Amino acid sequence: MDEIITLSYGSGGKKTSQLIEEIILPPLANKELNLLSDGAILEIQSNKLAFSTDSFVVSPYFFPGGDIGKLAVCGTVNDLSVCGATPMYLSLSFIIEEGFKIDDLKKIVSSIAETAQKCNVKVVTGDTKVVEKGKGDGIFINTSGIGVIKYDFLGKDKIAEGDTVIVTGTVGDHGAAIMASRNKLVDEFTVKSDCAPLNELAELILLYGNKVKILRDPTRGGIATTLNEFVEGGHLSIELYEESIPINDETNSLCEILGIDPLYSANEGKILAIVDSSIADNLINDLHNSDYGKNAKIIGKVTKNYPAKVVLHTLLGGKRILSKLTGAQLPRIC
Amino acid sequence: MDEIITLSYGSGGKKTSQLIEEIILPPLANKELNLLSDGAILEIQSNKLAFSTDSFVVSPYFFPGGDIGKLAVCGTVNDLSVCGATPMYLSLSFIIEEGFKIDDLKKIVSSIAETAQKCNVKVVTGDTKVVEKGKGDGIFINTSGIGVIKYDFLGKDKIAEGDTVIVTGTVGDHGAAIMASRNKLVDEFTVKSDCAPLNELAELILLYGNKVKILRDPTRGGIATTLNEFVEGGHLSIELYEESIPINDETNSLCEILGIDPLYSANEGKILAIVDSSIADNLINDLHNSDYGKNAKIIGKVTKNYPAKVVLHTLLGGKRILSKLTGAQLPRIC
């Protein structure tokens, strides 16, 4: 095997086979993937499925708290989980730049395998393309996923006045970690990406049944952008209380230095949940006893005071409208 | 709307929403996609599915006979079709380079919509990322697809001595068209990519039931590479007859000029089928009456003479072993 990826590895011929059989397949092996057919044949005992896709272009592809492989699995697993589905199968497609180190690819594939195992999903089909040096940026990964719908009561239309807004932990950590890493601030700051699989956390919340109105993982654009998606075009508003929003001190300092607002900074291991207020306290208790929900907080409520808007009650007693992210605050964050 | 894609369009905020709602969604609209949720919820009345993925990095992204959008739909539809599945749903994920013309994106999305309609598949979920200028190459597209398995008797293990090898038309046209386009030979040559959806053609063949042993669309690496995949690791061989292999004259001349072997040049609208010899003539007749099979030919047979090898009986009466493609004959062909 060579030390770097050359164009031959994308030709579809001998080198492509070698790459797949020696590097990609072994850590991921399962009966569907092993067939290396044009498509995987899946037996699924359900007629209601969730289907999701995401391409990952994060830069750098190794970052504090994870790498593009872990992110690619978590990203799609999380999208399926917040739809009320049990994630089952992933596809995995690489676009690799000529000159990429095969050792780095091995690390990324191993991270994909480890994360997939943790989430109990199988990578069953894949693809690898190689582009010339200067026509890509190391590695881009697409994962698409199929899940079985287990909870089918979620929807924007279920959100009602009086509902409670919960976030399952500190906000903005992924965006801050990537920016720290990109700006070589990693020695001074210890912020890590929160990149994590949320399938179990989503299930813990969904056990409360239709008192849960909607779940979303607030990635690009942060919690401010996701909350806007909940209320846009409608007559409800979301009011947040700045003092309640959990933010890691390091993330806060870093965001100040970089001029980033943590409410707009990406998360990769958090769920935003809108729930009936009657279950909020019990749910928070449950979350505090879970692996990824220890810093869960009630951060706001659904009202009719500011139709279609998200309003932040600031620490200083003022009000600030949080609109959707404008501009490119953080390019290539995921 | 701006004239070009800027990094803001990949931020996940307002510009991303605008891009999706004004450019991407309208031509593709359907009830699942319109929800713009993290994943699409699908009702599928079958428990046996095919799942496939492909990333497309073809350069140039507009080429004679098609574009990257048409290719991205056909590629995944064809992979599902040769698995014996009826293609149903696609995901669609863009990685766009900063500076890409929005007009070009519109053309590509419109081509995706038109091709999807032709194949009777729906794009139900998607993603858009933007990378900085110089970190991509215009546009890369991933499609993943779900199909319902209708014919479940196909497999490499079904291939037997005496079987017939059929190709549904002239070989190597896609690779030749891309290379002509890349080398600015398009004025002298009129070779077009054969890029086409093969769902109906696959179905026409599969109606012959388990007399059909295996189907594959010979893309990267051409028919020589795909035929090798059929016999590698086994005890059977495939013998081809050069005089029977249909090759477009223009493709042939172009391949000679460019030093490409048409047997290794990619196809994007052809099926290689291995079938029981008892149905071969009837099947060829049927193919000749179909839209995409007019030049179908019997090109060889399955024997035991050269275990695990593909052997070409040449026009000059010699024999040539066709091994899998080595090196990168044609980078970024799909």
Side-chain angles (χ1 to χ4, degrees):
Chain A
M1 202 83 190
D2 303 319
E3 283 184 12
I4 57 163
I5 294 288
T6 61
L7 288 174
S8 317
Y9 287 98
S11 66
K14 273 187 187 158
K15 287 274 193 183
T16 308
S17 302
Q18 193 194 0
L19 182 70
I20 292 168
E21 283 158 26
E22 294 180 20
I23 307 291
I24 300 176
L25 189 58
L28 296 170
N30 59 60
K31 76 177 195 306
E32 291 86 358
L33 186 62
N34 296 355
L35 293 176
L36 296 177
S37 188
D38 279 351
I41 311 295
L42 309 174
E43 304 258 9
I44 302 181
Q45 299 313 317
S46 166
N47 293 330
K48 200 158 187 184
L49 304 179
F51 183 31
S52 185
T53 191
D54 254 319
S55 285
F56 296 86
V57 299
V58 64
S59 168
Y61 39 83
F62 294 110
F63 50 80
D67 58 59
I68 192 171
K70 181 182 180 187
L71 186 63
V73 174
C74 291
T76 293
V77 161
N78 295 352
D79 279 351
L80 294 171
S81 302
V82 296
C83 291
T86 306
M88 303 278 290
Y89 299 107
L90 293 184
S91 66
L92 174 64
S93 178
F94 295 106
I95 299 176
I96 307 176
E97 186 189 10
E98 183 185 14
F100 194 72
K101 282 187 198 150
I102 289 200
D103 272 349
D104 282 351
L105 182 61
K106 280 185 188 166
K107 280 183 208 153
I108 289 167
V109 173
S110 135
S111 168
I112 289 170
E114 191 189 318
T115 314
Q117 198 176 12
K118 215 175 266 175
C119 309
N120 204 20
V121 296
K122 288 204 276 187
V123 173
V124 290
T125 189
D127 181 46
T128 304
K129 295 285 170 10
V130 179
V131 296
E132 305 91 327
K133 189 135 191 96
K135 303 295 186 184
D137 193 20
I139 188 164
F140 301 148
I141 300 180
N142 177 281
T143 54
S144 300
I146 297 177
V148 168
I149 293 286
K150 192 166 170 188
Y151 305 95
D152 64 354
F153 43 75
L154 298 168
K156 240 170 90 163
D157 54 314
K158 307 296 166 58
I159 303 173
E161 190 182 7
D163 283 349
T164 299
V165 182
I166 287 176
V167 68
T168 59
T170 56
V171 307
D173 298 326
H174 177 74
I178 296 295
M179 292 311 278
S181 180
R182 219 182 279 169
N183 290 284
K184 317 247 181 287
L185 295 168
V186 279
D187 292 336
E188 292 151 72
F189 290 89
T190 55
V191 176
K192 278 192 180 156
S193 164
D194 57 340
C195 180
L198 297 171
N199 49 331
E200 289 180 6
L201 199 68
E203 178 119 33
L204 183 153
I205 302 172
L206 289 164
L207 287 173
Y208 280 88
N210 63 10
K211 299 275 182 198
V212 182
K213 309 304 186 74
I214 194 164
L215 304 182
R216 201 62 71 90
D217 62 325
T219 58
R220 280 185 294 181
I223 65 164
T225 300
T226 301
L227 290 171
N228 267 285
E229 287 167 5
F230 289 163
V231 295
E232 67 191 354
H235 61 288
L236 295 170
S237 50
I238 286 173
E239 296 185 53
L240 299 179
Y241 299 92
E242 192 170 16
E243 82 260 16
S244 316
I245 301 176
I247 306 181
N248 182 324
D249 284 343
E250 286 257 309
T251 296
N252 223 353
S253 320
L254 195 57
C255 283
E256 270 178 28
I257 291 172
L258 296 166
I260 298 169
D261 185 336
L263 305 183
Y264 288 90
S265 170
N267 308 277
E268 292 290 349
K270 300 292 150 48
I271 295 176
L272 264 179
I274 309 261
V275 303
D276 189 281
S277 61
S278 66
I279 63 161
D281 290 335
N282 285 340
L283 176 53
I284 289 285
N285 264 332
D286 289 353
L287 288 168
H288 288 172
N289 291 317
S290 72
D291 281 347
Y292 295 117
K294 300 209 183 310
N295 298 307
K297 293 267 276 181
I298 292 173
I299 60 170
K301 63 183 179 192
V302 177
T303 69
K304 286 187 169 166
N305 299 334
Y306 312 92
K309 299 221 176 322
V310 177
V311 171
L312 179 74
H313 295 275
T314 67
L315 284 169
L316 299 172
K319 286 197 258 301
R320 187 181 143 207
I321 291 178
L322 298 178
S323 51
K324 264 184 160 175
L325 178 65
T326 50
Q329 198 193 19
L330 302 171
R332 296 182 60 193
I333 214 70
C334 61
Chain B
M1 201 82 191
D2 304 319
E3 284 184 11
I4 57 162
I5 295 288
T6 60
L7 287 175
S8 316
Y9 287 97
S11 66
K14 274 188 187 157
K15 288 273 192 183
T16 308
S17 301
Q18 194 194 0
L19 182 71
I20 292 169
E21 282 158 27
E22 294 180 22
I23 307 290
I24 300 176
L25 189 59
L28 296 170
N30 61 59
K31 75 176 194 308
E32 290 87 357
L33 187 62
N34 296 356
L35 293 176
L36 296 177
S37 188
D38 280 350
I41 310 296
L42 309 174
E43 303 257 9
I44 302 181
Q45 299 313 317
S46 166
N47 293 330
K48 200 159 187 184
L49 303 179
F51 184 31
S52 184
T53 191
D54 254 319
S55 286
F56 297 86
V57 299
V58 63
S59 167
Y61 40 82
F62 294 112
F63 51 80
D67 58 58
I68 192 171
K70 181 181 180 188
L71 185 63
V73 174
C74 290
T76 293
V77 161
N78 295 353
D79 280 350
L80 294 171
S81 302
V82 297
C83 291
T86 306
M88 304 280 289
Y89 300 106
L90 293 185
S91 65
L92 173 64
S93 178
F94 295 107
I95 299 174
I96 307 176
E97 187 189 9
E98 182 186 15
F100 193 71
K101 282 187 197 148
I102 289 199
D103 272 349
D104 283 351
L105 182 61
K106 281 185 188 164
K107 281 182 209 154
I108 290 167
V109 173
S110 136
S111 169
I112 289 170
E114 191 188 319
T115 314
Q117 198 175 14
K118 216 174 266 177
C119 308
N120 205 21
V121 296
K122 289 204 276 188
V123 173
V124 290
T125 190
D127 181 46
T128 303
K129 295 285 170 11
V130 178
V131 297
E132 306 92 326
K133 190 136 191 92
K135 303 295 186 185
D137 193 21
I139 188 164
F140 301 148
I141 300 181
N142 176 282
T143 54
S144 301
I146 297 177
V148 168
I149 292 287
K150 192 167 170 187
Y151 306 96
D152 64 355
F153 45 73
L154 298 167
K156 241 170 89 163
D157 55 314
K158 307 296 167 57
I159 303 173
E161 190 181 7
D163 283 349
T164 298
V165 182
I166 287 175
V167 69
T168 59
T170 56
V171 306
D173 298 327
H174 177 74
I178 296 295
M179 291 311 277
S181 181
R182 219 181 279 170
N183 291 284
K184 318 246 180 286
L185 295 168
V186 279
D187 293 336
E188 293 151 72
F189 291 89
T190 56
V191 177
K192 277 191 179 156
S193 165
D194 57 340
C195 180
L198 297 172
N199 48 332
E200 290 179 6
L201 199 68
E203 178 119 33
L204 184 153
I205 303 171
L206 289 165
L207 287 174
Y208 280 88
N210 63 11
K211 299 275 182 198
V212 181
K213 309 305 185 73
I214 194 164
L215 303 182
R216 201 63 72 90
D217 62 325
T219 58
R220 280 185 294 182
I223 65 162
T225 300
T226 300
L227 290 171
N228 267 285
E229 287 168 4
F230 289 163
V231 294
E232 66 191 355
H235 61 287
L236 296 169
S237 49
I238 286 174
E239 296 185 54
L240 299 179
Y241 299 92
E242 193 170 16
E243 81 260 16
S244 316
I245 301 175
I247 305 181
N248 182 324
D249 283 344
E250 286 256 308
T251 296
N252 222 353
S253 320
L254 195 58
C255 283
E256 269 178 30
I257 291 172
L258 296 167
I260 297 169
D261 185 334
L263 305 183
Y264 288 90
S265 170
N267 309 276
E268 292 290 348
K270 300 293 151 46
I271 295 177
L272 265 180
I274 308 260
V275 303
D276 189 281
S277 61
S278 65
I279 64 162
D281 291 334
N282 285 341
L283 176 54
I284 288 287
N285 264 331
D286 289 353
L287 289 168
H288 287 172
N289 291 318
S290 73
D291 281 346
Y292 295 118
K294 301 211 184 310
N295 298 307
K297 294 267 276 182
I298 292 173
I299 60 170
K301 63 183 180 191
V302 177
T303 68
K304 286 188 168 167
N305 299 334
Y306 311 93
K309 297 220 177 324
V310 178
V311 172
L312 179 74
H313 294 275
T314 67
L315 283 170
L316 299 172
K319 285 197 262 301
R320 188 182 143 207
I321 292 177
L322 299 178
S323 50
K324 265 184 159 175
L325 178 65
T326 51
Q329 197 193 18
L330 302 170
R332 295 183 59 191
I333 214 70
C334 60

